[in-house]
Every structure is written in structure tokens, then in C-alpha cells.
Amino acid sequence: MFIGLAGAGASSGIGMAVFELNAIFVLLIMGWIFLPVFMAAGVFTMPEYMQRRFGGQRIRIYLSVLYLFLCIFTKISADLYAGAVFIKQAFDWDLYISVVTLLLISAMFTITGGLKAVIMTDFVQTLLIVGGATGLMILSFQKVGGYSQLIHKYLQAHPNKSFVGYDINNESCSKVPDDYMHILREPTDPVVPWPGTIFGLTIISVWHWCFDQVFVQRVLSAKNVSHAKAGCVMAGYLKILPMFLIVFPGMAARILFTDEVACSSPEVCEVICGSRNGCTNIAYSLLVIRLMPTGASGLMLAVMMAALVTSLTSVFNSSSTLFAIDIWNRFRPRATEIEVLVVGRVFIIVHMAISIAWIPIVEQAHGSQLFHYTQSVSSYLSPPVCAIFILALLWERINEIGAFSGLMAGFILGMARFIMDFFFIPPPCGDGKPDLRPFFVSKIHYLHFAIILFVVSAVTATTVSLLTKPIDKKYLYGLTFGTRRSTQVRADINLSIISLSQSGLQGPHITEEKQDTPISLETTEMKFSSHKEFQSGPGGTSKSGLPWWKRVVIFMCGVNLNREPTETKSWHLSPQEQIVEAEKFLLERCLWQKVCNVNGIVLFCVGVFLYTFFA
């Protein structure tokens, strides 16, 4: 976020801050509309909700694969690139040496600490980052002469002619746009066109904040709906900060380091930052290194690197668990626990390799502007999922065939744009070469494309659902917004599919799911390490006399051979118990309900004010 948003601020003003302001409203939608349904359904993951809502396996598997795909092309690649930019500026290391360094630290962190270390350090890192970013913002404003001077000087922050490249129309590639202080711009604006900002951005934000497992799992861990709403409101308040803590300092970096940050000559930029497409991504790292006092800059750099490492560790753990449990077990349903564990760890290595191979594409995409890159990839892949989730939550008539058809139609269209977008890479502005990309890629903004993709998926799902048999209402209690408070016991649609299959009435046999349990590789490690064959004997030697190389492999997989066996709690509840638990989740005390509602209204009003003030 720091690298991408600050770079966007240095490049084109406050426009990209709308991505953070938009999240204020989406988080309120999550807390008051979608979250009560997920809690009433008693689910732990988003693929699990889809399986309970529609039955079958293919939608759940598709969502798992899509999540892994997005992990590689947005989360891991972007995090590695952002961290490498910081390390390169601080130590003048090669980009790929920086990436390997980050990966080695992340691997050590994963093995020795894992998710527990992530949880323990996240809170402290957040406090240090917000504190450090606030101090850096104050220093930035002081250096440029205050807010009014920032606005005035930014428009004049044009680099020396030797640092400037010119396009085929002989216009400067370093020119500041006239609407740099607006978040709603012309429909043809290359950064944030207003139709895409209002509709397309909302679509990908709803996916990101309401249906992406990485974020939703934190809300689902709340004790009750009041706690969850309070968490959404708190997150909404924090979304006010990036414009002031990141975007405005990014603009200040352009004023203070104009020739370096705003360069557009491909040859000069390559010397400065290693990219021919521009150097706006180095804006925030230059502020940290050159403006902050020596000790403070070192602490800020260390905290941001730690935050990147914990982010990578979280993604590695969740993606490896998802692959091992949701995908590998489909191909090998009788896989042993040690096999699942090792497969998960090996998949992390594969994940890393693919992500490193993709970094050159990240460097070249969207003029080397990291934030544009991550949002564009989400715009090509997430709108179909967003459309199906919204229909599933709000419309009882949609069925499994319709939902899957909508997902496939959107996926094919989105992948076509994704492939073309990174196959037809535009030349750097200063090269003076014409843009030979097809109209489908060069003229349709990724936020506008998100709208098209959402509509195509929703229309396809609706049409197919209306032409096929609906799902019986007995399978939907507690799974839609209209039935979230239903006290009727919901029948399991998956058991119905199995019984029909065994009767020969529906396709090939679909094996019954194991109980919907929140499984993770940590649980598998615990079971594996407690197995009597692998428990250590006196003196630390293995009772089974394992060879040293096996013990090394087991250690690298993060298994503690000396861990005491523990009993695992069963999370399976009867249908009646699920209703009771759902009622507890949705029960709000009058006082806290009012506190959450009042804060929600205040947050909404603040968001509207910021939107209109900077529109």
C-alpha cells in the first residue's frame, strides 16, 4: 500500500485515494448486510458458504483455485516487488537479490514462528507504522511549507529537461494532470474515470472487503455481530488515514525529489530506479530514507519490512493450506497427514518460484505503478465472483447451474483481457513509439471492464437460473439475507445430492464431504508430531531411529517432534445447535447496537464529506 499509493500520488495526485475512501462504504455494507448472513450460515470460509448455498464441489474448487491465482499475481508478487524497492533504495542492492532476501526471511519466519508469530506481531507493527507514517507526514508538510504550498508546488513540480521523455505528440510524459486534486474525473481519464470509480471500483471493493477469505476470516472470528460491526467500523475509520498518511506525502516526494520521482526519460529512469517506465514507486522510500532522522528511518524501514514479511507469511500459510486441503485432497482423498503436510510446504516453494518469475511483468505493467497493477488484476478476475456472491445472498432463485455458468462466462472474458493486457505491453511514454495494443485493451479502462464483467456474469447466472429448476427453500434457511433469522432447520443440500447420486438419479457419484471443519496445516502438524512413530525418546533421539535427512525434512516442514499430543475439538454441530449458535451471533445488546449504529452513521457522513470535498 505505501509503495503503490504514494507512487500514485506522486504520479497523478489524489485520484487513487478514492480506492481507500470507497472502502469506507463497502465495510459498512459488509457489517450490516453480508456479515449477518455468513454468521447465520455458520461458515468459516467463503468456499464453504458457496458449497452450503449451492451444493456440489465445482464452485468451491473454482474459488479455491481463483484465490491461489490471485495470491500469486497480486499479493505475493506485489509484496515482493514493494519490499525489493525499499531494500534497493536503502542498500542499493539488485532487485532480485532483494527479493531472495525477503523470501529467505519469510521462510525462516514461517518455519520458526508461523501464524502465531504473525498474530503476535501484527498489532505492534500497526501501531509503529501508523506512528511512523504520521511523523513522516508532518515532516513532509513542513518541508514543502504546509498543505496550501503542497497543492501549489505540486503543479509546478516538473523535472529538468534531461530527465523528461516526450510522447508521439511531443507532450511531456512528466506533466501533472490538471485535475490532480480531484477523485472523480472525466470518463476518459486514464487514472480514475468517474463511471469506473463509482461502479467498477465498488464492484472490486465489495469482492475485496466482503468476499475475500483473507479479510472475511478476521470478521468471522468475532464473538457476536456487535463485535464484528465494531471491527468493520474501526477498519472504516482507518481507511480515512491513507489519503493523508500516504498519498499527500507521495505528492510531497515529487516536490522534494522532482528529478528522481517524476523522471520519464526511459534511459534516465532505468539508471535511477531500474525501470524504464518511471520511478514514482520510489517516492515513499525516498521520504523514509532522506527525511526521517537516522534512527527513526531505520526503525520505520525495519517495521515496514517486518510487515511485508508477516504479510507474505500469512499468504504462504493460507494458500498452502488451501491447496493441500481443498485441492490436493480432491485428487488423493486417502492421502496421509504427512503427505498433506509435505505437499503444502512444497507448494509454498512452487508459489514462490511463480511469483518471482512474474515480477518482471509487475515492473512493466501500467507504467510501473504498483497500485494500478494490483487493482487491474482484481478487475479482471473478481467481478464474476462478486456478482455470484451478491445474487446468492440476496436472491433465493439462483441455483448451482446458474451460478457456475455465470462464473465461467466471467472467467473466460476476464482471462482473455488478463492475457491480452500483459501480452500487449505498451511502450514507455518517453520511447516515442505508438501504442499498438488492440482497442479492447487500450481504450477500455480496467474499472470500466469490471462493470462489463459484472453485468455479463450476473445476466448469465440469472438467465440460466430462470431456465432451470430452482433450489428448494428447505435448503436455504439461514443462507440468504431474507432468511438469516429463520428458526427452521435447514436441510443439507450436499447430503441430498449424494443420496440422489447413489440412487442413480443425478450424474456420477459425488463423495460426501468430510465435516466442515476449519482445517489448517497447523492442525495437521499437531497430529503428525503427536504420532507415536515420530515422538522423540530420551536424549532427543527418535524412537523409530529416523535418518538425519528425514529429521531435517520434518524440521523444514515446521513439525515439532517433541510436541505433546492434544485433543482436537470437534466443530460439527447438529442443525438445531447451528440455529442456536446463529441466534447468539445475531443477538445484539441494545447499548452496543446503538453504539455501532451511531458510529456507522458518523463514518458514513465522514465518507460522504470526503468524497464530495475532493470530488
Side-chain angles (χ1 to χ4, degrees):
M1 177 189 293
F2 283 88
I3 297 293
L5 267 182
S11 172
S12 58
I14 67 170
M16 294 301 285
V18 72
F19 283 78
E20 300 300 313
L21 296 179
N22 182 271
I24 293 173
F25 307 104
V26 176
L27 284 164
L28 293 175
I29 293 172
M30 172 61 176
W32 270 260
I33 297 179
F34 298 141
L35 179 66
V37 181
F38 295 144
M39 287 187 158
V43 297
F44 296 99
T45 67
M46 294 299 94
E48 181 188 352
Y49 169 79
M50 283 301 210
Q51 187 177 33
R52 291 194 182 187
R53 175 65 173 82
F54 296 115
Q57 301 290 336
R58 55 186 182 178
I59 293 179
R60 181 171 185 169
I61 293 175
Y62 170 78
L63 291 178
S64 299
V65 173
L66 179 66
Y67 173 76
L68 296 175
F69 197 83
L70 287 171
C71 276
I72 292 173
F73 296 113
T74 58
K75 295 181 174 67
I76 299 177
S77 296
D79 282 351
L80 287 175
Y81 180 68
V85 168
F86 253 103
I87 294 175
K88 180 178 173 60
Q89 291 301 312
F91 304 109
D92 197 26
W93 289 1
D94 178 75
L95 179 71
Y96 288 94
I97 293 177
S98 304
V99 167
V100 171
T101 303
L102 267 178
L103 286 175
L104 289 176
I105 296 172
S106 300
M108 289 165 49
F109 196 69
T110 303
I111 293 169
T112 58
L115 287 175
K116 289 183 180 179
V118 175
I119 294 170
M120 294 299 293
T121 55
D122 266 351
F123 178 69
V124 177
Q125 286 171 4
T126 302
L127 292 178
L128 290 173
I129 286 176
V130 172
T134 303
L136 185 58
M137 177 193 68
I138 295 171
L139 285 173
S140 301
F141 277 115
Q142 286 178 343
K143 285 289 185 180
V144 299
Y147 178 78
S148 59
Q149 286 298 308
L150 172 72
I151 306 307
H152 175 68
K153 292 180 179 179
Y154 181 80
L155 188 59
Q156 302 173 345
H158 200 271
N160 186 286
K161 286 185 178 181
S162 61
F163 290 79
V164 178
Y166 296 88
D167 62 17
I168 56 175
N169 298 318
N170 202 33
E171 293 184 1
S172 171
C173 297
S174 298
K175 181 182 177 181
V176 175
D178 295 332
D179 50 4
Y180 67 98
M181 283 302 294
H182 297 273
I183 59 174
L184 295 181
R185 304 179 182 179
E186 293 294 326
T188 56
D189 187 82
V191 181
V192 280
W194 74 259
T197 300
I198 294 175
F199 302 107
L201 174 57
T202 301
I203 290 168
I204 60 177
S205 291
V206 168
W207 146 259
H208 188 72
W209 295 107
C210 301
F211 306 133
D212 187 347
Q213 178 62 27
V214 173
F215 300 100
V216 176
Q217 66 184 359
R218 289 161 171 76
V219 185
L220 292 178
S221 64
K223 293 181 180 179
N224 54 53
V225 73
S226 294
H227 285 207
K229 286 181 178 179
C232 291
V233 170
M234 183 62 190
Y237 281 127
L238 291 175
K239 281 296 164 184
I240 298 171
L241 299 179
M243 173 182 279
F244 302 97
L245 298 186
I246 305 175
V247 176
F248 283 131
M251 295 171 66
R254 181 185 178 114
I255 298 170
L256 298 171
F257 317 113
T258 306
D259 288 343
E260 295 164 280
V261 173
C263 77
S264 56
S265 170
E267 294 77 16
V268 176
C269 290
E270 190 169 20
V271 173
I272 294 173
C273 64
S275 172
R276 294 177 59 84
N277 288 282
C279 294
T280 54
N281 280 332
I282 68 174
Y284 202 83
S285 56
L286 287 180
L287 290 175
V288 172
I289 295 168
R290 297 185 185 178
L291 278 194
M292 299 185 81
T294 304
S297 64
L299 177 62
M300 186 68 175
L301 186 64
V303 170
M304 295 189 75
M305 288 299 100
L308 278 171
V309 168
T310 54
S311 175
L312 287 169
T313 303
S314 297
V315 175
F316 287 151
N317 274 286
S318 59
S319 61
S320 62
T321 298
L322 195 64
F323 178 81
I325 303 300
D326 270 8
I327 297 177
W328 185 258
N329 273 350
R330 305 291 179 219
F331 297 99
R332 289 183 55 82
R334 297 184 180 179
T336 61
E337 291 171 359
I338 184 174
E339 180 182 336
V340 171
L341 177 62
V342 172
V343 165
R345 296 307 190 199
V346 170
F347 181 74
I348 291 177
I349 299 174
V350 176
H351 228 168
M352 289 179 178
I354 298 174
S355 300
I356 293 174
W358 190 253
I359 285 178
I361 304 296
V362 178
E363 279 190 282
Q364 301 299 321
H366 294 276
S368 291
Q369 293 188 38
L370 186 61
F371 204 76
H372 278 288
Y373 162 77
T374 56
Q375 298 303 323
S376 66
V377 174
S378 296
S379 297
Y380 305 150
L381 299 175
S382 62
V385 182
C386 178
I388 300 308
F389 263 108
I390 290 176
L391 289 173
L393 288 160
L394 303 180
W395 190 43
E396 295 182 9
R397 183 61 180 80
I398 185 174
N399 57 24
E400 195 272 348
I401 299 174
F404 189 73
S405 300
L407 286 173
M408 289 300 101
F411 175 75
I412 293 170
L413 187 60
M415 279 302 296
R417 172 63 189 262
F418 177 85
I419 293 171
M420 293 175 70
D421 206 37
F422 296 107
F423 183 79
F424 297 101
I425 297 177
C429 178
D431 265 359
K433 298 178 181 178
D435 187 351
L436 300 178
R437 294 176 299 167
F439 176 87
F440 182 65
V441 176
S442 63
K443 300 301 182 183
I444 301 179
H445 194 278
Y446 61 82
L447 291 177
H448 291 159
F449 184 79
I451 302 172
I452 297 171
L453 207 52
F454 181 88
V455 172
V456 168
S457 301
V459 169
T460 302
T462 301
T463 304
V464 174
S465 295
L466 291 174
L467 294 175
T468 52
K469 185 179 178 181
I471 298 175
D472 196 305
K473 287 190 176 182
K474 67 180 181 180
Y475 300 120
L476 300 178
Y477 299 129
L479 294 177
T480 64
F481 185 77
T483 63
R484 68 191 186 284
R485 297 187 181 276
S486 175
T487 57
Q488 299 190 56
V489 176
R490 179 178 69 247
D492 191 338
I493 191 171
N494 292 291
L495 294 180
S496 174
I497 292 174
I498 292 166
S499 58
L500 285 173
S501 173
Q502 290 174 339
S503 303
L505 298 178
Q506 180 175 330
H509 177 66
I510 302 175
T511 57
E512 182 176 358
E513 275 290 293
K514 296 176 183 178
Q515 295 176 0
D516 288 323
T517 307
I519 305 171
S520 69
L521 288 183
E522 289 192 344
T523 308
T524 306
E525 292 168 13
M526 191 179 300
K527 292 179 181 178
F528 174 50
S529 62
S530 63
H531 196 280
K532 62 182 180 180
E533 182 183 355
F534 297 101
Q535 289 178 3
S536 298
T541 58
S542 173
K543 288 181 180 180
S544 58
L546 286 176
W548 66 268
W549 61 270
K550 278 192 178 181
R551 296 178 65 81
V552 170
V553 171
I554 290 170
F555 171 77
M556 292 301 295
C557 287
V559 177
N560 181 5
L561 295 178
N562 297 315
R563 183 183 293 174
E564 292 296 325
T566 56
E567 295 182 3
T568 30
K569 179 181 177 181
S570 174
W571 289 85
H572 183 67
L573 300 175
S574 67
Q576 195 60 46
E577 289 173 330
Q578 288 180 8
I579 293 174
V580 173
E581 287 297 315
E583 289 178 346
K584 290 180 181 178
F585 273 128
L586 298 178
L587 182 64
E588 293 185 86
R589 293 184 179 180
C590 184
L591 173 62
W592 292 112
Q593 184 180 29
K594 289 180 179 178
V595 169
C596 289
N597 290 340
V598 169
N599 274 277
I601 293 171
V602 170
L603 179 61
F604 179 83
C605 293
V606 171
V608 170
F609 169 76
L610 291 172
Y611 238 98
T612 53
F613 184 81
F614 291 107

